């Protein structure tokens, strides 16, 4: 097919029927070529971010003479740079090929350096750099299950070349990230039009499908009007607050579950192993919830269900003083599973309700910037003076989970009210704006409908 024909096909009405069989083949083909490398990279970024929790119980604090709240500061400093670089990272992707940009983020080097650092200050520098390089990435729960198993194996290298087990956790995982990061330059597909695994007809179908999914909500020009629409959109800020509540629990899981298990009475090796089933169950629950929410085109109910499950888990831990080990262990399953199924649904829900490239880029970045401030909270509420019951940590987490539920409810009813106004034609006055403005309204376009 010539380029003229491709261009012509792009002008077709997006409402024209698309061959369902051809579309299914196309989706499978894209999934097989796009998802695996991105999944691996996201898994590695989470390992690099959270493996400090596994390293802690393998002697990190003792070797670097970390006392008091120094571990909390080490987990928190990551988010200082992560939050700062969140928005710029999302905007750069528009102008730099994703394969080039992602492969140039050498966060594996900073992870590797953690394994060789001789001081607490060196650890802080490495954590800061990892956060800077990972700004814009959103890793997932799968890595936590894998991380426990990997940490258990790598800790057995204790004494090899004179290095402690915790150093090998950082060294091997850092090397793995470096190698995969370099290879990703040739494995990541940048844009639909550049997908070499598709023929001309498939590329045309993919572009048509993307236009159909985006509908009339376009924002491909960043001008004064676009910036005003973006920064005055209440949905972005409510979405960030929702994520702030669930994020505190998510980061508490990542950085402190190995420590919590260790303080239940398990040895470091047993703690690493016992963390695996917690996150395996969380993965299963998350995938099930993701599939169902996509099939039903509904997010709010699954978010509330996940929050209730997490609140039960952390509520049990808050009142754990007279509970058995098995009950407390069960509570960790509830906390991790509820948190894991909720966090991605929140991010997707907000993203679904952002229309146009720049609206999604800014909106997602602002939401994550606000939400990732939970890293400051989650990293500082587990007070060493309150070990092993951590009432401040569990009480704060429960409170923020409840606030996340309230914010989700506000978000839900706000979207429903806006949809009803648009159904009644109360936003049609925007269609009287100049054409170039109407074509750049994003989800402010009267024909856009919000997802519940």
């Amino acid at each position: 097919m010539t380029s003229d024909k491709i261009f012509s096909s792009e002008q077709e009405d997006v409402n024209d029927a698309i061959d369902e069989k051809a579309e299914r083949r196309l989706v499978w083909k894209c999934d097989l070529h796009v998802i695996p490398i991105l999944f691996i990279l996201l898994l590695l970024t989470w390992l690099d971010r959270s493996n400090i929790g596994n390293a802690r119980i393998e002697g990190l604090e003792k070797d670097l003479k970390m006392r008091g709240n120094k571990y909390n500061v080490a987990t928190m400093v990551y988010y200082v740079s992560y939050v700062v670089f969140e928005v710029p990272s999302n905007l750069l992707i528009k102008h730099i090929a994703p394969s080039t940009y992602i492969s140039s983020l050498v966060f594996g080097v900073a992870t590797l350096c953690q394994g060789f650092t001789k001081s607490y200050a060196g650890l802080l520098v490495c954590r800061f750099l990892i956060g800077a390089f990972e700004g814009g990435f959103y890793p997932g729960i799968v890595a936590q299950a894998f991380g426990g198993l990997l940490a258990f194996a790598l800790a057995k290298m204790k004494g090899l070349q004179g290095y402690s087990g915790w150093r090998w956790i950082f060294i091997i995982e850092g090397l793995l990230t470096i190698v995969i990061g370099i290879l990703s330059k040739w494995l990541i597909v940048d844009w639909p039009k550049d997908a070499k695994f598709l023929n001309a007809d498939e590329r045309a179908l993919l572009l048509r499908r993307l236009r159909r999914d985006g509908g009339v909500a376009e924002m491909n020009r960043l001008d004064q009007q676009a910036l005003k629409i973006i920064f005055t959109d209440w949905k972005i800020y409510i979405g960030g607050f929702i994520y702030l509540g669930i994020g505190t629990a998510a980061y508490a899981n990542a950085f402190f579950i190995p420590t919590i298990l260790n303080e239940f009475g398990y040895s470091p090796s047993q703690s690493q192993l016992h963390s695996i089933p917690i996150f395996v169950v969380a993965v299963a629950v998350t995938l099930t919830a993701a599939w169902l929410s996509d099939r039903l085109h509904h997010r709010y109910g699954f978010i509330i269900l996940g929050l209730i499950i997490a609140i039960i888990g952390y509520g049990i831990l808050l009142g754990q003083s007279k509970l058995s080990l098995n009950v407390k262990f069960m509570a960790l399953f509830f906390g991790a599973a509820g948190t894991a199924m909720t966090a991605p649904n929140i991010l997707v829900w907000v993203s679904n309700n952002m229309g146009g490239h720049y609206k999604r880029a800014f909106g997602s970045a602002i939401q994550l910037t606000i939400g990732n401030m939970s890293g400051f909270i989650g990293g500082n509420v587990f007070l060493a003076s309150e070990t092993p019951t951590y009432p401040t940590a569990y009480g704060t987490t429960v409170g923020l989970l409840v606030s996340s539920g309230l914010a989700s409810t506000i978000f839900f009813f706000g979207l429903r009210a806006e949809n009803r106004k648009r159904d009644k034609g109360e936003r049609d006055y925007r269609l009287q704006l100049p054409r170039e403005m109407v074509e750049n309204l994003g989800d402010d376009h009267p024909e856009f409908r919000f997802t519940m």
Side-chain angles (χ1 to χ4, degrees), residues 4 49 259 262 292 315 448:
D4 289 340
R49 173 189 305 198
T259 297
N262 189 222
L292 286 172
F448 184 88

Side-chain angles (χ1 to χ4, degrees), residues 117-360:
T117 185
K118 301 295 184 181
S119 67
Y120 175 63
L123 177 67
L124 293 182
V125 171
C126 291
R127 296 291 299 172
F128 182 89
L129 290 174
I130 295 171
F133 292 134
E134 289 190 3
F137 268 85
Y138 179 73
I141 191 72
V142 177
Q144 290 177 283
F146 181 67
L149 178 61
L150 193 57
F152 169 77
L154 296 178
K156 298 299 181 183
M157 298 174 68
K158 179 180 179 180
L160 186 63
Q161 298 297 315
Y163 291 133
S164 302
W166 67 265
R167 293 186 181 277
W168 284 113
I169 292 174
F170 289 137
I171 292 170
I172 299 300
E173 292 181 6
L175 286 171
L176 183 61
T177 303
I178 292 170
V179 172
I180 299 299
I182 293 172
L183 292 177
S184 70
K185 169 61 184 173
W186 296 277
L187 297 175
I188 292 175
V189 180
D190 290 322
W191 312 112
K193 61 183 178 60
D194 301 322
K196 295 180 181 179
F197 60 89
L198 299 176
N199 59 39
D201 290 330
E202 289 170 331
R203 280 195 293 273
L205 176 58
L206 176 57
L207 291 169
R208 216 176 128 202
R209 187 174 186 270
L210 290 172
R211 290 198 306 277
R212 182 195 66 185
D213 291 345
V216 295
E218 294 186 357
M219 188 179 282
N220 297 318
R221 188 177 67 255
L222 190 61
D223 53 21
Q224 186 175 357
Q225 174 198 263
L227 289 171
K228 181 179 179 181
I229 290 173
I230 291 167
F231 287 104
T232 59
D233 188 352
W234 65 273
K235 300 191 304 295
I236 295 174
Y237 303 104
I238 291 292
F241 189 74
I242 298 171
Y243 189 57
L244 178 70
I246 195 66
T248 301
Y251 294 127
N253 290 341
F255 295 134
F256 290 97
I257 277 187
T259 297
I260 293 168
L261 289 169
N262 189 222
E263 292 174 350
F264 280 176
Y266 296 114
S267 68
S269 293
Q270 289 176 325
S271 298
Q272 308 286 19
L273 288 176
H274 277 78
S275 71
I276 298 171
I278 294 172
F279 294 117
V280 167
V281 170
V283 169
V285 171
T286 301
L287 293 176
T288 302
W291 184 81
L292 286 172
S293 63
D294 277 348
R295 293 281 292 181
L296 298 173
H297 302 289
H298 182 81
R299 306 288 179 188
Y300 173 68
F302 290 95
I303 289 171
I304 296 300
L305 176 61
L307 288 170
I308 290 172
I309 293 172
I311 288 169
I312 290 172
Y314 285 106
I316 291 173
L317 291 171
L318 180 59
Q320 65 176 280
S321 58
K322 296 182 180 180
L323 299 178
S324 68
L325 174 61
N326 288 337
V327 173
K328 292 188 286 186
F329 189 47
M330 177 198 70
L332 289 176
F333 280 85
F334 276 73
T339 300
M341 71 175 282
T342 304
N345 258 311
I346 290 171
L347 293 173
V348 172
W349 193 24
V350 175
S351 180
N352 285 161
N353 290 301
M354 299 288 160
H357 170 77
Y358 280 111
K359 184 64 176 292
R360 280 191 297 271

